[in-house]
Amino acid sequence: MLDKLEALIARFEEIMNELNEPTVTENQKRFRALMKEQSDLTPIVEAYKEYKKCNETVEDSLAMLESESDEEMREMLKEELNDSRKRIEELEKELKILLLPKDPNDDKNVIVEIRAGAGGDEAALFAAEIYRMYVHYAESHRWKVELLNVDEIGIGGMKEVSFMINGQGAYSYMKYESGVHRVQRVPETESGGRIHTSTISVAVMPEVEDDVDIVIDEKDIRIDVMRASGNGGQCVNTTDSAVRLTHYPTGIVVYSQTEKSQLQNKTKAFALLRAKLYDIKMQEQHDAEAQLRRSQIGTGDRSEKIRTYNFPQGRVTDHRINLTLYKLDKVMNGDIQEIIEACVAADQAIRLSRLNQEG
């Protein structure tokens, strides 16, 4: 680990020297790449420098203890020694986590697709609530939410909704939301007061940038334009602005109608299709690496039931990490950071354990 850290320190210094060159901004692509690499390395470099400093403090304290006879001074040195040793242990754990291979998609924007499952209208109402939960969560991070497509029902529910979240590191958090979400509550339409169970599915996909190798052949696509339907602005049902793409090789159909412009809807539809094709590619890679698939929390089986929202008890349970919180109201209002951070910690623990076994 120390050899790797020394190599990263050397690389960091190379980057800093290059960034200090007067001509560095002439090649903007190279400049952005250097700035990103510098940003990624900074927390590792800072933690390693503190680690080295703490080790020096330990050595100095031990050397001074050998020659020091004053009892009060010896107590101070022992306290300093213990503090430094404790901090070294913390930094070793921190550095191991920082050195874990990073998901290349972590910094990307995300496309989220929510679909109502079992439970009819109640599932559609819950889908709309989960959509609002994610909108509030994104707002708390100052991320921008852009609606791609929505299929609403008259009572305020959503059979399906697709949207993009634009923000630094959005995928690194949101990827833990993929899977089946279950709600247990008494529906407003239920006169007998019985608790019903409904489900929705959430798919979280990284936005696919132009440099990613996802080729969409024109002959594999059918593009249909039509009038938008449902709740919308003035142009609904007056112009052929809605766009539907059918991808023949996979059977994927995507639809976008949220914009007044057909061109804008077409752009959104293609972004959604590229994300879905990239998602299929990632799932195939994970299937080929069975051990990785089993050990990952963030990109597991889409059919897996990951969370239950129990309204009578005010309880939210994440089944992957055995976490139960009794703050359902806050969670439904977008306060899901505690759950996501617990998923991140569990994921890191699994990966560290696997790394130690391999080591």
Side-chain angles (χ1 to χ4, degrees):
M1 185 175 88
L2 294 179
D3 289 343
K4 190 172 184 179
L5 286 163
E6 288 293 342
L8 289 174
I9 288 270
R11 174 61 191 150
F12 186 77
E13 286 168 0
E14 282 175 19
I15 293 165
M16 294 307 292
N17 289 335
E18 194 169 342
L19 284 171
N20 287 328
E21 292 288 332
T23 56
V24 69
T25 55
E26 288 176 8
N27 183 341
Q28 279 295 310
K29 190 175 179 182
R30 173 69 178 161
F31 177 66
R32 283 195 297 271
L34 286 168
M35 289 296 290
K36 186 180 183 308
E37 196 177 353
Q38 179 215 26
S39 173
D40 290 344
L41 286 176
T42 297
I44 300 172
V45 169
E46 286 178 353
Y48 185 45
K49 282 181 178 176
E50 189 186 348
Y51 174 80
K52 288 169 83 171
K53 194 175 177 182
C54 286
N55 273 306
E56 285 172 12
T57 303
V58 167
E59 287 174 17
D60 292 345
S61 298
L62 287 169
M64 289 170 74
L65 271 169
E66 283 183 15
S67 57
E68 186 58 62
S69 57
D70 182 78
E71 200 55 45
E72 195 174 326
M73 193 64 185
R74 285 180 65 81
E75 284 304 314
M76 281 176 62
L77 287 167
K78 283 177 184 176
E79 193 176 326
E80 192 176 61
L81 181 65
N82 288 334
D83 287 347
S84 294
R85 281 175 170 165
K86 188 180 177 184
R87 184 63 184 139
I88 284 168
E89 282 182 27
E90 290 170 356
L91 286 165
E92 280 176 350
K93 289 176 186 173
E94 196 177 310
L95 284 163
K96 282 177 182 176
I97 289 169
L98 287 168
L99 287 173
L100 283 171
K102 196 177 178 188
D103 186 332
N105 294 313
D106 272 355
D107 290 330
K108 292 183 179 176
N109 301 326
V110 295
I111 289 174
V112 184
E113 191 174 68
I114 302 171
R115 290 176 182 267
D121 286 353
E122 172 64 9
L125 287 166
F126 185 57
E129 289 173 75
I130 292 296
Y131 166 67
R132 286 191 288 274
M133 178 182 85
Y134 290 142
V135 170
H136 290 312
Y137 178 67
E139 286 169 351
S140 72
H141 283 270
R142 296 184 180 175
W143 296 336
K144 183 186 168 192
V145 177
E146 192 179 341
L147 196 61
L148 298 176
N149 180 48
V150 60
D151 182 5
E152 297 176 297
I153 63 171
I155 57 173
M158 297 174 175
K159 285 184 184 176
E160 182 183 333
V161 56
S162 303
F163 56 100
M164 182 180 282
I165 298 177
N166 295 283
Q168 182 70 26
Y171 185 75
S172 67
Y173 290 124
M174 287 297 298
K175 65 183 176 183
Y176 297 102
E177 293 302 296
S178 279
V180 174
H181 296 238
R182 183 175 69 168
V183 61
Q184 293 174 324
R185 64 182 174 191
V186 179
E188 289 179 19
T189 53
E190 170 61 52
S191 57
R194 289 176 302 168
I195 295 171
H196 284 227
T197 298
S198 305
T199 61
I200 63 161
S201 65
V202 176
V204 178
M205 301 162 279
E207 182 189 17
V208 184
E209 292 160 359
D210 293 336
D211 58 351
V212 176
D213 185 25
I214 296 292
V215 179
I216 301 175
D217 198 315
E218 281 185 25
K219 71 177 188 299
D220 291 337
I221 291 281
R222 189 178 83 211
I223 303 173
D224 296 309
V225 295
M226 63 208 73
R227 291 186 180 183
S229 60
N231 302 324
Q234 294 175 341
C235 293
V236 171
N237 294 324
T238 60
T239 59
D240 291 337
S241 59
V243 175
R244 183 176 63 209
L245 302 180
T246 306
H247 186 247
Y248 294 125
T250 59
I252 291 171
V253 178
V254 295
Y255 186 75
S256 181
Q257 64 166 16
T258 57
E259 300 295 335
K260 293 178 182 179
S261 154
Q262 185 188 115
L263 186 63
Q264 287 173 310
N265 281 325
K266 188 177 175 183
T267 302
K268 284 187 173 185
F270 267 100
L272 181 53
L273 178 60
R274 281 171 62 82
K276 280 176 174 280
L277 293 174
Y278 182 61
D279 188 53
I280 289 170
K281 192 175 178 180
M282 285 201 305
Q283 291 293 321
E284 286 171 353
Q285 286 173 355
H286 291 163
D287 287 342
E289 301 164 15
Q291 182 60 40
L292 177 66
R293 175 74 176 266
R294 279 196 298 272
S295 67
Q296 279 189 329
I297 290 172
T299 49
D301 190 345
R302 286 280 154 75
S303 62
E304 179 192 5
K305 181 186 72 184
I306 66 163
R307 199 172 297 150
T308 295
Y309 305 73
N310 185 297
F311 278 72
Q313 296 175 15
R315 168 175 63 82
V316 181
T317 299
D318 196 292
H319 304 287
R320 298 163 296 178
I321 53 175
N322 295 321
L323 174 72
T324 295
L325 301 174
Y326 288 90
K327 56 173 194 178
L328 181 60
D329 289 350
K330 288 183 177 178
V331 166
M332 295 310 294
N333 203 34
D335 185 7
I336 57 172
Q337 189 65 20
E338 186 178 349
I339 300 171
I340 289 175
E341 284 178 359
C343 287
V344 171
D347 195 23
Q348 288 172 345
I350 291 166
R351 291 165 70 203
L352 278 172
S353 173
R354 197 170 73 243
L355 209 63
N356 292 335
Q357 286 169 6
E358 289 169 2

